[in-house]
Amino acid sequence: MKTRSAIPLVATLTWCLSVATAEADSSNKLRGVAPSDLQRYIPNEKGHWTCLDSSKTISFSAVNDDYCDCLDGSDEPGTSACGNGLFYCANEGHIPTRIKTSRVNDGVCDPDCCDGSDEYSGLVECPNVCEEVGAVAKQERARLQLIQQEGSKLRKDYIDFGKAAKAKMVLDLAQFHAQTEDLERAVEEAKKILDAATLAQEKYHEGSKGDREASRREQLAPLIQEQASRLARAKNVRNKLRATLQNLKENYNKNYHDTAVKNTITGFDDYITGLGEDHESEASTDEEQVDPTEYSITPDERINNLMDQTYVIQREIGTLYDLLDNMSREYNTENNDEAVQVSVKVVEEFSTTWVTDRQEFGDEAALEVPAELTDESPEAEKLKDDADVAQSAFDEASDRRTQVQDGIRDIENKMKADLGKDEAFAKLFDECFDFKDIEYTYSVCLFGDANQRSHSTTFLGKFSHWEGANYDVQVYSGGTKCWNGPDRSVKLVMTCGTQNEIISVAEPAKCEYVFRFQTPAVCPVLPEHENEASTPVDTEEEAPPKHTRHDEL
Amino acid sequence: MAHAKSRSKKTILRSVLALGLVLGCVNAVKREDFKTCSQSGFCTRNRAYADMAKEDPKWASPFQLNPSSLRLKEGILTGDLFNTQESQQPASSAGLGFELHLLDNDVVRVRVNERDPIHPRYDGVQDTVLIKPYGFATEANIERLQKDDNGILTIQYGPNNRNTVRISSAPFKVEFLVNGVPTVLLNNDGLLRFERLRNKDDGVLGENKLVDQASEEGEGEIETQVEKSPLELKLEENSWEERFKEFTDSKPRGPESFGMDITFSGINHVYGIPEHATSLSLKATRGTGAPYSEPYRLYNLDVFEYEIDNPMALYGSIPFMLGHSKNNTAAVFWMNAAETWIDVEKSATDNNSGLLSWIKGKKPVQAASTKTHWISESGVLDVFVFLGPTQRDIFRQYSSLVGTTVMPQAFSIAYHQCRWNYNTQQDVAEVDAGFDEHDIPYDVLWLDIEHTNGKRYFTWDEAKFPNPADMQQGLANKGRKMVTIIDPHIKMDSGYHVSQQGADLDVYIKNKDGTSNFDGWCWPGSSQWIDFYNPKARDWWASLFKYETYVGSTKSLFTWNDMNEPSVFTGPEITIPKDVIHYGNVEHRNVHNLYGTMFHSATAQGLTERNETNQRPFVLSRAFFAGTQRYGAIWTGDNVASWEHLEIASPMLLTIGLSGVAFSGADVGGFFGNPEPELLTRWYQAGIYYPFFRAHAHLDSKRREPWLFGEPYTSQIREAIRTRYAYLPLWYTLFHEASIDGMPIIRPMFTVFPEDEAVFGMDDQYMVGDALLVKPVVKPGVTQSTVYFAGTEKWFDIKSFSVQQGPGAKEVDSPADRIPVYQRAGTIVPKRERIRRSSKAMENDPFTLVIALDSKGEASGKLYLDDGETFNYQHGDYILREFKVSTGTLSSRSLKPTTEPEASDFMQHKAGLRIERIVVLGLAAPLKQVRVADREIEVGCAQAAQGGHYVCTVKEPRVNIGKDFDLSFV
């Protein structure tokens, strides 16, 4: 593109620009009017002419006189006087087009107007580059056409695949359903046998039940006590860390813009979000752990319960500790931010007692729950063997049933997914793609999850819906919440290509990602032998005025 | 981004962990990061002195002039000033020097400095702030120099000798009278206080020694013997080392502050002393019922999400205050760049009989007065007094000292699109294309800190911006420019050329030891700050902007200077410690408020000198001081996307403008947070009437380019921005006016209507020049606004041409698509109505004149035009026209002094651009005939929808913008 520099500008200026344009000679009278519109620019018998929006009737001499008369700008298709009209560029050798008349004689060689006809004032010399532009465009169109043809074939394969897959699923589903009844019956029978065996065993042991339970309770009592106190301690620590982070979040100094601190607070927000609504009620349930139902459950259930709870709390501690620990390694020590320093102090104190990789307290190996003492008489042994055999028969039967049920659910899920009008996306269901940019690797599994990976993985969202009616934009939403921002989300914008690949990833607004994705699945389905039919490449049809494309930014 | 410093450096925590402590709501600004007066030693000491004066009904200033020492020579009056309470101290026998300069532009300068101090007091502010040595009033300008028996010296000066300065010896006092009426009074309340420099070992010296006097005892024993009142103790508070939070100010020179009261007698409204997020008319900080309890503070600071309606210091400081009443206008400029606090106290009626006793017999001046108390930490007392007589005179007088607004690049008054950050070259191209697609004009695209390689200024993140020059060329092809950010903190990195060169040249600010470089933390992590007081540093800095040094820069790249208060994340109050050392062994405390301006100036120098393109610079700065207008634009820093911040922008910009910095704006949309579409739209509608018009957004905020909210917002914002472009000829003409005589561009109502008391406190509407009245809508859901129409003439809605008759407040429509804007009858406004994609693309387009006739059928207006880019206008290469309507003729004449050379061929061409349309408002009947010479011109008329007047449009009069013509209409 030609550009102006200060010196040629002075040299090439037409000093009497205004006069020249005001008295446009007759050959340019209808400058900027498209050939198809010429018949609308004919004066009536009195030499008058009516604006195309009918707003006004003016002298025909006022058409293209570089003064705006009509509201719609139709009297000035060839000058910038109105600005809101359209100027027709013939662009011989390329595609004719229309540009806004505000771009006529503005000193810019408008790329859309490759013949340079938009700049006739002498302000700037715009060479006619339509031949080159046309050739490039032609090449580009040919390339696109090739891609479309290739893509079209692939898409047809996809459609076939999709249809076949669907047919197969229907078939499989029917088969699974047919098996269901037999399997249910088998499970029922196995259950009957198992129940009988268990009953026999229980009967045999009934007399000594009380003794056994008592001795079991006695056996486990110290363990339960120990575990309960471990749980209490873990909660204490968890609460302390939580309070530390809460304090940090409320009191840290934003002026310092310390990334380490910001990241920790983001993580804490994620943690709180993760707790969800339970968080609110948890405090109260925490307090009620001296369980009134203590004797309504078995000591085994009780110890397992306590161990599970402790495990969950310790995981929380691990998360919170990591947040604080990361910050204390990375934060800017010169900032003297009191809230940060308080947190660092806490983590320093705590670090001596915590084993990070095992996520547990330093001096606390997990408790081992001893096995129950058992009756070893031959009769008892036999009953036990019977019960074991019955149990494994039952397990086997119910596994077979579960498999079929899973199969049904799986198929039903897949069939529920909206794979496009013609099932073209069946091929891509759950297929995953990566894109590496400078810092991160982005990935998406179609109809599944999107992620961002570096040293850690950030969840960007789960497939939520198609946007629009064209089946070419997918939205993945509900990703990890962004610090000071929204939940992360991804828009997967698809264009026709011969391969499936992410071609770019952008984050136009914080934590709102746009993946551009090429796939045959959105290529147009062309009629067979398209390439042998009349070539659209060389048609001289006017390019439509550019429409505002949708605003994905 | 941040690397861990060695953990051993960590300070040991004193505070005890308070777990489970749940604080209430978290304030946006962390107020406790910034000092209050009571946390500042010198503010406390001087305020305590004022309290003592107030408590003592017989208080009289202990300062006296020696009448026999007064000498007037060549416009300078000098004399010896003593503090009678310290006269027995041998160390202070030299006393203070008093100077009064009578300037040739009717300005009076009063100075008080210490004679033979143990260290020189810093007196260098004048060297950087005053533009040139000024002339003195000759003896001929001074009349009736009288000295009476009481030691009162009287000098009359000014036009018709209307001004009088009276200097009283005991107690010392300087009064300025206008036509015999006291107007500005210095030390009238006796609050002058001057801490003499001394050694720490000398004990408590200085004029604070009221106690010494009373006890008449030798030194040393006093403190053990005499019990001091709480106020007396405060007089000595934090004289030496001073702590704030975890920071210690070593104050090696001890206390060196001073303070003085300045009374605006008979004047109830005072304005100025930016930058504060407060009302235009300053609120009281002392006295019963004062809305504020803290003084206004001037100390350039980086304040995160600043609070509204609070006298806390912000990014810039201008110690200029204007007082205005119906009868009087006066101003003072307190030339000091150290931390300064100003108390404002209003007295409803002035019953200080002593003050008026000397004009007995004259009718009592029924005056509401404003008392102000100015307190500076160091330097010399140096104050200029301006008596006008009009505001325009005051702006001219003030700007003749500190400089006027420099003519900007024409593009820089158009629309700027900014965001932290446009991420990649692709992103830039898409945003640029977005404007064209949506037919929204813009001129400048901005890149914030993320464009650099690791916050190393003058570099590019090469992965994201592989071809910066091509990118700029792409914009330049459409007449558009780019701005990149360059901050004064330099990343510590020996591999970074700027860092290394700065170290080699030894141009960094030093620690208090004067030898090691100060290092602190900012965006890039550990950084050093360039000492722009070092001439070598300025020249080197300027050289960095050459195209070959700033690789990837082109002619269409300009600069944004941020964080120049300076912002230091690890420093006290987020800035640099006061005891760091500048070139020439100057302590930072003396020059803090000027640091940002020195940086701004060096950057402007760099852009001016780069490769001899003869191009005017464009540099935006966040910090500012008196004189900043010579270097470029400023903006009001990190505001918030809230209606309150939209509302406060008007008074803030009006205040900054009347204090000399005309080229200013607030971030449209609000920097932090996400504006709802209505707020964003309203902000654009207001922002098109800011002298500097830029939209900006924080990294954490959602995208908000003008088209992203869809209809109706996109169309409403488009219409607003296009309106700005249509009025660019008016804006450019107003910049010219500002560059000549210091007039603000957006003007408070009281500047244009100085006699209408109803507007003295008004800051929710304002004038653009003298022609347009603007009333921003600053509340959601509003479709009606109350507009005050001042004066007795009509006002014409600029869109509908409906008419309102002044004076009085009226309810007018303010629908979602526009805010009330009116053209005042009697004005002619030049416009360009062919809106294109950039202002550059419009520079050869014809003009439209909008003539709003007054009740006498008259109107006038001006147009200034030059090439918009170069310095050629300084050599006469410009057009300045006056358009005037009287007795049915519109005439156009040149206002260019005949001594100026003729315009060049290029400007002759500009002069040949035509006026395509003349719109005449306020006609009682349609025009029948319009003629230029013997040519008849087509005209069409219609009755305005409201107000009954006729609007006539003259089509193609075939006259040129820069040539004389007479157009008659009947």
Side-chain angles (χ1 to χ4, degrees), chain B residues 172-240:
Chain B
F172 168 68
K173 171 158 69 163
V174 184
E175 296 162 285
F176 293 84
L177 302 91
V178 176
N179 293 325
V181 179
T183 301
V184 174
L185 316 172
L186 310 184
N187 203 31
N188 189 57
D189 288 333
L191 304 189
L192 176 63
R193 187 172 172 276
F194 209 93
E195 291 173 342
R196 306 285 299 276
L197 290 168
R198 57 188 189 263
N199 292 316
K200 194 170 184 181
D201 313 336
D202 294 349
V204 184
L205 281 185
E207 89 282 12
N208 310 341
K209 301 272 308 188
L210 296 170
V211 184
D212 300 24
Q213 295 261 308
S215 68
E216 289 186 9
E217 298 243 356
E219 295 176 52
E221 298 157 69
I222 302 150
E223 277 156 70
T224 54
Q225 292 193 359
V226 182
E227 213 165 294
K228 298 182 178 185
S229 73
L231 277 181
E232 284 164 352
L233 285 171
K234 275 192 175 177
L235 288 179
E236 292 154 23
E237 202 172 289
N238 284 322
S239 289
W240 297 89

Side-chain angles (χ1 to χ4, degrees), chain A residues 3 15 66 80 102-104 110 251 253 255-256 329 331-333 335-336 346 508 510 512 553, chain B residues 4-5 10 17 23 30 33 246 304 436 477 521 569-570 700 702-703 708 834 836-837 909 914:
Chain A
T3 58
W15 299 123
D66 202 22
S80 62
S102 65
R103 288 168 197 179
V104 172
D110 209 294
N251 294 309
N253 192 330
N255 283 304
Y256 294 145
R329 287 174 205 281
Y331 83 107
N332 176 4
T333 55
N335 281 350
N336 291 320
V346 169
K510 186 154 177 155
E512 295 177 359
L553 271 191
Chain B
K5 280 249 146 184
K10 245 172 265 173
L17 239 187
L23 293 177
K30 290 204 51 134
D33 284 346
E246 66 272 33
F304 185 91
D436 287 340
N477 288 344
W521 202 272
F569 296 161
T570 44
D700 290 334
K702 289 173 79 74
R703 288 269 171 154
L708 289 185
R834 302 185 178 195
R836 308 218 197 218
R837 58 181 121 206
H909 154 66
R914 70 192 203 277

Side-chain angles (χ1 to χ4, degrees), chain A residues 168-188:
Chain A
K168 181 166 185 302
M169 283 192 288
V170 172
L171 210 66
D172 288 351
L173 198 58
Q175 277 179 358
F176 281 141
H177 278 304
Q179 291 171 25
T180 310
E181 212 175 308
D182 288 346
L183 289 171
E184 288 288 355
R185 203 160 39 251
V187 170
E188 253 171 61

Side-chain angles (χ1 to χ4, degrees), chain B residues 643 675-683 685 713 777 779-782:
Chain B
W643 291 94
E676 65 256 41
E678 184 189 4
L679 172 61
L680 183 68
T681 306
R682 288 305 198 186
W683 211 321
Q685 290 166 349
Y713 307 107
V777 172
K779 296 271 185 306
V782 164

Side-chain angles (χ1 to χ4, degrees), chain A residues 20-173:
Chain A
T21 54
E23 295 167 1
D25 64 70
S26 60
S27 68
N28 289 327
K29 182 69 192 169
L30 295 180
R31 194 199 291 272
V33 179
S36 58
D37 284 339
L38 280 173
Q39 84 280 358
R40 305 171 78 185
Y41 284 85
I42 295 167
N44 66 13
E45 61 282 0
K46 288 183 199 148
H48 290 164
W49 178 83
T50 302
C51 303
L52 297 186
D53 64 356
S54 306
S55 60
K56 209 170 171 186
T57 296
I58 58 174
S59 162
F60 190 64
S61 64
V63 170
N64 272 344
D65 67 344
D66 202 22
Y67 184 89
C68 188
D69 294 291
C70 302
L71 281 178
D72 65 351
S74 57
D75 62 318
E76 298 293 324
T79 79
S80 62
C82 293
N84 57 341
L86 291 173
F87 177 91
Y88 176 83
C89 305
N91 289 350
E92 269 170 50
H94 186 44
I95 302 167
T97 191
R98 298 182 206 218
I99 62 168
K100 291 201 174 72
T101 51
S102 65
R103 288 168 197 179
V104 172
N105 290 332
D106 66 348
V108 179
C109 296
D110 209 294
D112 288 339
C113 216
C114 58
D115 62 4
S117 59
D118 59 322
E119 296 296 321
Y120 58 84
S121 70
L123 200 57
V124 61
E125 198 66 46
C126 294
N128 185 334
V129 292
C130 285
E131 220 159 287
E132 294 102 292
V133 173
V136 171
K138 195 167 162 180
Q139 241 174 11
E140 178 62 13
R141 278 199 303 277
R143 194 184 67 84
L144 286 178
Q145 201 182 16
L146 215 65
I147 288 174
Q148 290 201 345
Q149 282 164 0
E150 189 66 24
S152 172
K153 279 184 209 151
L154 288 168
R155 175 159 180 181
K156 281 175 197 155
D157 293 348
Y158 281 23
I159 293 169
D160 293 345
F161 174 90
K163 287 188 174 146
K166 192 160 192 183
K168 181 166 185 302
M169 283 192 288
V170 172
L171 210 66
D172 288 351
L173 198 58

Side-chain angles (χ1 to χ4, degrees), chain B residues 838-856:
Chain B
S838 65
S839 68
K840 178 85 184 160
M842 292 165 65
E843 67 179 2
N844 291 296
D845 283 342
F847 292 85
T848 292
L849 296 183
V850 181
I851 300 173
L853 296 172
D854 68 10
S855 51
K856 292 186 295 247

